[in-house]
Amino acid sequence: MNKAFSVLVLLVCLGLAQRSSADFVVEVTRGQDNAIPIAIVPFAAAGAADLDVAQTVSNDLARSGRFKAMDRKDMVEQPHPGANISFDDWRRLGNDYIVVGLMAPQGADRYNISFELYNVLNHQRLLGFQISANRPGLRLASHQIADIICRIAAIA
Protein backbone atom coordinates (compact mmCIF):
# COMPACT_ATOMS: atom_id res chain seq x y z
CA MET A 1 0.00 0.00 0.00
CA ASN A 2 2.76 2.40 0.92
CA LYS A 3 4.54 1.73 -2.40
CA ALA A 4 1.32 2.27 -4.38
CA PHE A 5 0.69 5.53 -2.55
CA SER A 6 4.23 6.75 -3.36
CA VAL A 7 3.75 5.94 -7.03
CA LEU A 8 0.40 7.78 -7.04
CA VAL A 9 1.98 10.86 -5.41
CA LEU A 10 4.81 10.76 -7.95
CA LEU A 11 2.35 10.59 -10.85
CA VAL A 12 0.32 13.50 -9.48
CA CYS A 13 3.49 15.58 -9.04
CA LEU A 14 4.61 14.82 -12.58
CA GLY A 15 1.19 15.78 -13.90
CA LEU A 16 1.24 19.07 -12.04
CA ALA A 17 4.78 19.79 -13.17
CA GLN A 18 3.78 19.34 -16.80
CA ARG A 19 0.83 21.68 -16.43
CA SER A 20 2.81 24.35 -14.64
CA SER A 21 5.57 24.50 -17.23
CA ALA A 22 5.21 27.35 -19.68
CA ASP A 23 7.37 29.18 -22.15
CA PHE A 24 9.02 32.28 -20.79
CA VAL A 25 8.55 35.04 -23.35
CA VAL A 26 9.80 38.60 -23.02
CA GLU A 27 8.23 41.11 -25.35
CA VAL A 28 9.65 44.61 -25.56
CA THR A 29 6.69 46.82 -26.38
CA ARG A 30 8.36 50.14 -25.89
CA GLY A 31 11.97 51.25 -26.16
CA GLN A 32 13.77 53.90 -24.22
CA ASP A 33 12.47 57.41 -24.61
CA ASN A 34 15.97 58.50 -25.54
CA ALA A 35 16.85 55.72 -28.01
CA ILE A 36 20.19 56.29 -29.74
CA PRO A 37 19.79 57.29 -33.40
CA ILE A 38 21.93 55.07 -35.64
CA ALA A 39 22.25 54.55 -39.40
CA ILE A 40 23.07 51.07 -40.69
CA VAL A 41 24.08 51.63 -44.32
CA PRO A 42 23.40 48.64 -46.61
CA PHE A 43 26.62 46.67 -46.88
CA ALA A 44 28.30 46.55 -50.26
CA ALA A 45 28.05 42.99 -51.52
CA ALA A 46 30.39 41.67 -54.17
CA GLY A 47 28.45 38.40 -54.43
CA ALA A 48 24.75 37.69 -54.19
CA ALA A 49 23.66 36.52 -50.75
CA ASP A 50 20.28 35.28 -49.59
CA LEU A 51 20.24 37.57 -46.57
CA ASP A 52 20.55 41.34 -46.20
CA VAL A 53 22.99 41.40 -43.29
CA ALA A 54 22.74 45.16 -42.70
CA GLN A 55 18.93 45.02 -42.54
CA THR A 56 19.07 42.16 -40.02
CA VAL A 57 21.54 44.15 -37.89
CA SER A 58 19.30 47.23 -38.13
CA ASN A 59 16.23 45.23 -37.12
CA ASP A 60 18.06 43.69 -34.14
CA LEU A 61 19.25 47.06 -32.87
CA ALA A 62 15.80 48.62 -33.29
CA ARG A 63 14.12 45.70 -31.49
CA SER A 64 16.51 46.09 -28.57
CA GLY A 65 14.74 49.34 -27.70
CA ARG A 66 18.07 51.08 -27.14
CA PHE A 67 18.51 52.26 -30.73
CA LYS A 68 16.40 54.08 -33.29
CA ALA A 69 17.54 52.81 -36.67
CA MET A 70 17.34 55.20 -39.60
CA ASP A 71 15.06 54.17 -42.46
CA ARG A 72 17.01 53.41 -45.65
CA LYS A 73 14.80 55.61 -47.78
CA ASP A 74 15.97 58.62 -45.75
CA MET A 75 19.67 57.96 -46.42
CA VAL A 76 21.18 60.58 -48.72
CA GLU A 77 24.20 58.43 -49.54
CA GLN A 78 25.44 54.91 -48.94
CA PRO A 79 29.17 54.98 -48.18
CA HIS A 80 30.89 51.65 -47.72
CA PRO A 81 34.36 52.40 -46.41
CA GLY A 82 34.49 54.80 -43.51
CA ALA A 83 36.72 57.15 -45.49
CA ASN A 84 33.72 58.07 -47.68
CA ILE A 85 31.41 59.18 -44.84
CA SER A 86 30.24 62.81 -44.94
CA PHE A 87 29.81 63.15 -41.20
CA ASP A 88 28.07 66.55 -41.35
CA ASP A 89 25.32 65.12 -43.57
CA TRP A 90 24.67 62.23 -41.20
CA ARG A 91 24.70 64.58 -38.21
CA ARG A 92 22.11 66.83 -39.90
CA LEU A 93 19.96 63.73 -40.43
CA GLY A 94 20.01 63.26 -36.65
CA ASN A 95 22.29 60.23 -36.29
CA ASP A 96 24.74 59.73 -33.45
CA TYR A 97 26.32 56.63 -35.00
CA ILE A 98 26.79 55.13 -38.46
CA VAL A 99 27.71 51.59 -39.48
CA VAL A 100 29.21 50.87 -42.89
CA GLY A 101 30.33 47.53 -44.23
CA LEU A 102 31.28 45.21 -47.03
CA MET A 103 30.38 41.60 -47.69
CA ALA A 104 32.84 39.71 -49.90
CA PRO A 105 32.58 36.10 -51.07
CA GLN A 106 35.36 33.79 -49.88
CA GLY A 107 34.81 30.72 -52.00
CA ALA A 108 31.63 28.94 -53.05
CA ASP A 109 29.60 29.18 -49.85
CA ARG A 110 31.57 31.48 -47.54
CA TYR A 111 31.51 35.23 -46.89
CA ASN A 112 33.78 37.68 -45.14
CA ILE A 113 31.83 40.54 -43.57
CA SER A 114 33.80 43.61 -42.54
CA PHE A 115 32.12 46.55 -40.85
CA GLU A 116 32.97 49.78 -39.07
CA LEU A 117 31.14 51.78 -36.41
CA TYR A 118 31.65 55.54 -36.29
CA ASN A 119 30.59 58.24 -33.88
CA VAL A 120 29.02 60.84 -36.18
CA LEU A 121 29.34 63.69 -33.68
CA ASN A 122 33.13 63.54 -33.26
CA HIS A 123 34.04 61.58 -36.46
CA GLN A 124 35.71 58.88 -34.37
CA ARG A 125 36.02 55.29 -35.57
CA LEU A 126 34.90 53.19 -32.62
CA LEU A 127 35.17 49.77 -34.18
CA GLY A 128 36.48 47.93 -37.20
CA PHE A 129 35.75 44.21 -37.28
CA GLN A 130 35.61 41.23 -39.62
CA ILE A 131 33.56 38.08 -39.28
CA SER A 132 33.33 35.09 -41.59
CA ALA A 133 30.29 32.93 -42.17
CA ASN A 134 28.96 30.36 -44.57
CA ARG A 135 25.63 30.97 -46.30
CA PRO A 136 23.51 29.25 -43.60
CA GLY A 137 25.44 31.13 -40.89
CA LEU A 138 24.79 34.63 -42.22
CA ARG A 139 21.80 35.21 -39.92
CA LEU A 140 23.82 34.21 -36.85
CA ALA A 141 26.70 36.43 -38.01
CA SER A 142 24.23 39.33 -38.40
CA HIS A 143 23.01 38.87 -34.83
CA GLN A 144 26.61 38.74 -33.59
CA ILE A 145 27.39 41.99 -35.42
CA ALA A 146 24.37 43.66 -33.78
CA ASP A 147 25.53 42.43 -30.37
CA ILE A 148 29.03 43.80 -30.92
CA ILE A 149 27.69 47.19 -32.04
CA CYS A 150 25.33 47.32 -29.08
CA ARG A 151 28.17 46.69 -26.61
CA ILE A 152 30.55 49.23 -28.17
CA ALA A 153 27.95 51.99 -28.55
CA ALA A 154 26.84 51.47 -24.95
CA ILE A 155 30.30 52.29 -23.57
CA ALA A 156 31.20 55.00 -26.07
Side-chain angles (χ1 to χ4, degrees):
M1 181 84 154
N2 197 11
K3 189 174 185 181
F5 180 72
S6 297
V7 171
L8 180 63
V9 169
L10 179 63
L11 290 174
V12 169
C13 288
L14 287 174
L16 291 175
Q18 275 186 324
R19 288 184 186 169
S20 66
S21 70
D23 291 334
F24 180 70
V25 177
V26 176
E27 183 179 345
V28 178
T29 58
R30 186 173 160 224
Q32 295 178 343
D33 291 336
N34 56 348
I36 301 167
I38 188 168
I40 313 294
V41 176
F43 291 1
D50 300 339
L51 179 75
D52 185 341
V53 172
Q55 188 62 53
T56 303
V57 170
S58 181
N59 293 344
D60 279 1
L61 293 175
R63 275 194 298 267
S64 76
R66 295 179 55 203
F67 295 91
K68 182 179 182 289
M70 181 181 199
D71 195 337
R72 286 183 174 181
K73 69 179 178 10
D74 297 331
M75 294 182 182
V76 294
E77 61 184 358
Q78 295 186 354
H80 297 295
N84 294 346
I85 298 173
S86 300
F87 289 100
D88 291 336
D89 292 341
W90 292 98
R91 184 182 46 77
R92 278 189 219 103
L93 291 169
N95 293 290
D96 289 355
Y97 296 98
I98 184 172
V99 177
V100 295
L102 170 67
M103 219 171 102
Q106 299 291 313
D109 192 34
R110 195 136 191 91
Y111 294 92
N112 184 39
I113 307 164
S114 58
F115 64 97
E116 299 171 284
L117 170 67
Y118 286 88
N119 182 320
V120 172
L121 304 176
N122 63 13
H123 307 194
Q124 181 183 12
R125 180 179 184 225
L126 301 173
L127 170 70
F129 199 81
Q130 289 185 355
I131 189 168
S132 293
N134 59 9
R135 189 177 301 271
L138 285 175
R139 181 167 296 284
L140 175 60
S142 302
H143 297 312
Q144 290 172 333
I145 291 168
D147 290 343
I148 292 167
I149 292 169
C150 193
R151 280 189 223 118
I152 298 299
I155 61 173

